[in-house]
Structure formats: C-alpha cells, structure tokens
C-alpha cells in the first residue's frame, strides 16, 4: 500500500517562491502518475499540475508558467516548484498518485495535504 506525505507548505508573501515535496513509500512509485491538487477555502479541490510516469507534464491555466512539477523516481519523490505566488494560490495542496490497473480500475492514493498561505 503506497503512502504519500507532503511537506514544504508555509506562509509566504506575494511574489515569493516555495517548493512542495511529496514522499512516497513502496517500490512502485515510478509506475504512477503524480498529481498535485489544491483546495482553497470554500472552493472545490482542483488539479494544479500533473506528471505522468513517462514524465509528461500538464498544468492548470491558473498556474501555467509559474509552477513546475517534477519527480525523482530514484528517491520516490515528487515536487511542485511554485514561483511568483499570488494570494489566490492560498490552499491546502495534496499529492495524489494514480495508476490505471486495468480499464475501469484505478489505484489511487492521497496524502494529507500541506497548507500554503500567500499573504502580505
């Protein structure tokens, strides 16, 4: 059973940078896509960035050009580099690993989240 632990959340000022980390247990991390979601107060959880097992990346329009997702399969780690942070980036950030086992069957794991607050 894979477990995920996020870290790196903090209180920062607008324009600052922050790097979130996601540590995964187990030895099959490299077979999973990794997705960073975020949930702002009073809003639904939304996808921020995704990296596939092959290293292909995609981003929400709201973070495109400011956030960079990456992974290190040798260390079972994923990262979210967040630059030029804005108050609207304030949210709990969750790491999710997901893999399609067979068509229609998805194995998914979640961390408990890390709080990012952007405020002047």
């Amino acid at each position: 059973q894979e477990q995920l632990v996020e870290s790196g959340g903090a209180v920062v000022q607008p324009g600052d940078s922050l790097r979130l980390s996601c540590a995964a247990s187990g030895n099959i991390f490299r077979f999973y896509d990794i997705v960073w979601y975020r949930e702002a107060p009073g809003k639904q959880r939304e996808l921020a960035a995704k990296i596939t097992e092959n290293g292909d990346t995609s981003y929400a329009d709201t973070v495109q050009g400011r956030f960079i997702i990456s992974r290190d399969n040798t260390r079972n780690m994923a990262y979210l580099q967040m630059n030029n942070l804005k108050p609207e980036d304030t949210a709990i950030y969750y790491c999710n690993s997901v893999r399609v086992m067979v068509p229609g069957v998805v194995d998914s794991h979640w961390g408990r989240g890390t709080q990012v607050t952007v405020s002047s």
Side-chain angles (χ1 to χ4, degrees):
Q1 183 86 10
E2 185 165 81
Q3 294 182 339
L4 304 175
V5 179
E6 304 95 335
S7 62
V11 178
V12 298
Q13 295 186 338
D16 284 353
S17 296
L18 201 60
R19 189 176 82 155
L20 305 183
S21 298
C22 173
S25 62
N27 58 4
I28 55 174
F29 173 81
R30 65 188 182 278
F31 298 119
Y32 284 70
D33 296 347
I34 302 297
V35 187
W36 282 98
Y37 286 87
R38 64 184 186 180
E39 187 171 329
K43 295 186 177 181
Q44 289 188 333
R45 192 173 298 188
E46 64 177 9
L47 184 151
K50 176 181 177 179
I51 185 166
T52 69
E53 62 173 314
N54 297 319
D56 297 323
T57 60
S58 57
Y59 300 90
D61 290 343
T62 51
V63 307
Q64 179 76 48
R66 299 187 298 122
F67 288 13
I68 301 172
I69 188 171
S70 62
R71 66 190 299 162
D72 183 346
N73 291 338
T74 65
R75 298 184 177 185
N76 282 4
M77 295 290 296
Y79 305 97
L80 185 67
Q81 176 67 42
M82 305 186 294
N83 301 318
N84 190 21
L85 283 161
K86 304 176 180 180
E88 51 264 41
D89 294 319
T90 295
I92 300 174
Y93 284 72
Y94 297 91
C95 181
N96 169 246
S97 65
V98 59
R99 179 186 182 190
V100 177
M101 306 305 288
V102 295
V105 178
V106 175
D107 186 37
S108 179
H109 304 272
W110 291 86
R112 294 188 175 184
T114 185
Q115 175 71 49
V116 173
T117 302
V118 185
S119 175
S120 56

